[in-house]
Amino acid sequence: MSGQVDAALADTFRASLGQGLLVAGTAAIVTAVTASLLVSRRIAGPIHELAGASHRVAGGHYAERVKASGRDELGQLGSSFNAMAAALLEATERRRSELIGDVAHELRTPLATLRGYLEGLMDGVVAPSDQTWARLHDETGRLQRLIDDLQELSRAEAKQLSLQLWPVAEADLVQTAAERLSPAYAEKGVTLGTSIEPTLPAALADGDRAVQVLTNLLGNALRYTPAEGSVQVLATLADAHEIAVSVSDTGAGIPAEHLPRIFERFYRVDKSRSRALGGSGIGLTIARALVEAMGGRIWAESPGAGRGATFTFTLPVAA
Ligand code: ADP
């Protein structure tokens, strides 16, 4: 009898233990699933928001911000993201206002000259001579060049240049640019020499744009080299992947402290001299944008003031 009672008790105990384990197991699974859903939603939500905001910031919408709440890693990441977006917005605004200031400054000089001459003509103080018309013509030409250069620069900086990349023979490139400038060199009495390494492979470039860069460097070399000086163009294979074209002159040279800045927009070593010689101050900025758009590099070297300068740009070798 007592054996039967023991067996019944044991059965009841086993059944309730099984039930208890089932209930506890189900509760544990439900809790784990709920907790992981909650945690992943807490993590996935902000990450999704951050991904969307980064995409919009990359597209130039620097006013974009994310909700950065909490002191955990995600909250800190959100705050860092917002700080970065704020810094970008500030830098863009600063750059925009600097550009407007620079352009206004550059326009002021030729406009003041034009106005002075026109007022002088109206008052009868300036004679309506050939010299006066030539001066007025020069100043309007300067304004036109500045506007054209600014347009080119804004297109280049916005990466809106349409480039036609083809294999280009360096010899053709050098010859075209040299022919374009040789009358001006002859007129000033500056010698122009060219040297192209034999068996140089073709470069992958936009021929017209590459000629534009070289013409610009040759124009500068002529501008800053006095009569009886000389300019030498050299095209060589820099390494297996790059062709280097350099323009060396025996002219004004560039003091070391100015070298890192001469590719900046409107930066000039000698402002009045550059203006007097007809420079717009953005030729090198455009040259750099063009070279970089073609996958090359550009830099300047000079042993110092009065000791000449060398400008070199590279272009990738055509496969
Ligand atoms: P700019 O129209 O004034 O020549 P660039 O952008 O072409 O403007 O050149 C910027 C500045 O770099 C020039 O104002 C000049 O000071 C300096 N520079 C450029 N090329 C030469 C050179 N070959 N020799 C000496 N200085 C140069």
Side-chain angles (χ1 to χ4, degrees):
M1 183 71 190
S2 92
Q4 279 177 342
V5 172
D6 283 351
L9 271 176
D11 279 351
T12 314
F13 177 72
R14 259 199 303 276
S16 44
L17 184 68
Q19 253 172 4
L21 279 176
L22 190 69
V23 170
T26 311
I29 289 169
V30 169
T31 312
V33 168
T34 315
S36 70
L37 265 176
L38 281 174
V39 169
S40 68
R41 190 167 295 172
R42 226 179 76 72
I43 295 173
I47 287 180
H48 189 70
E49 193 191 354
L50 262 172
S54 335
H55 195 68
R56 287 187 290 277
V57 166
H61 301 279
Y62 303 131
E64 195 66 40
R65 298 290 180 275
V66 292
K67 283 197 286 298
S69 52
R71 289 166 165 235
D72 56 4
E73 281 83 351
L74 276 175
Q76 284 170 10
L77 187 61
S79 307
S80 308
F81 177 88
N82 287 344
M84 179 202 72
L88 273 174
L89 182 64
E90 197 188 316
T92 314
E93 287 303 323
R94 200 171 46 237
R95 213 172 122 66
R96 207 198 315 262
S97 62
E98 270 171 16
L99 175 64
I100 294 171
D102 285 348
V103 172
H105 181 78
E106 294 300 320
L107 290 173
R108 195 170 294 135
T109 314
L111 280 176
T113 313
L114 279 174
R115 193 185 170 121
Y117 269 86
L118 289 172
E119 283 176 0
L121 278 167
M122 286 190 312
D123 297 346
V125 185
V126 173
S129 62
D130 284 353
Q131 207 186 349
T132 306
W133 304 135
R135 187 71 204 269
L136 289 173
H137 184 261
D138 280 357
E139 291 301 326
T140 47
R142 183 190 297 251
L143 280 173
Q144 181 72 57
R145 262 197 315 281
L146 180 61
I147 304 293
D148 291 347
D149 282 356
L150 277 171
Q151 203 167 22
E152 178 91 342
L153 180 64
S154 79
R155 252 187 258 129
E157 288 193 338
K159 310 258 180 291
Q160 283 171 353
L161 292 170
S162 59
L163 294 173
Q164 314 281 337
L165 300 177
W166 294 102
V168 176
E170 297 300 318
D172 294 345
L173 169 69
V174 173
Q175 196 185 345
T176 311
E179 270 173 13
R180 211 174 267 181
L181 278 151
S182 60
Y185 271 73
E187 194 183 330
K188 191 171 176 185
V190 174
T191 316
L192 177 59
T194 60
S195 164
I196 293 143
E197 195 178 286
T199 70
L200 200 58
L204 184 68
D206 180 312
D208 290 342
R209 298 302 192 174
V211 167
Q212 186 182 344
V213 171
L214 186 53
T215 307
N216 184 289
L217 297 182
L218 284 175
N220 275 354
L222 177 63
R223 186 178 293 150
Y224 299 103
T225 302
E228 293 179 17
S230 66
V231 174
Q232 182 71 28
V233 186
L234 184 65
T236 54
L237 191 61
D239 61 39
H241 311 287
E242 266 185 342
I243 285 159
V245 181
S246 63
V247 176
S248 303
D249 64 59
T250 58
I254 302 162
E257 67 271 24
H258 294 281
L259 272 175
R261 301 201 56 191
I262 53 170
F263 291 92
E264 288 174 18
R265 188 184 62 215
F266 299 125
Y267 190 84
R268 294 146 162 142
V269 175
D270 180 342
K271 286 200 182 352
S272 53
R273 182 168 185 198
S274 153
R275 285 216 184 87
L277 295 171
S280 71
I282 42 179
L284 287 179
T285 319
I286 296 174
R288 180 175 61 181
L290 290 176
V291 168
E292 288 179 355
M294 292 188 281
R297 301 170 291 132
I298 185 166
W299 67 93
E301 291 158 296
S302 171
R307 298 171 63 196
T310 297
F311 284 79
T312 307
F313 68 95
T314 65
L315 292 171
V317 167

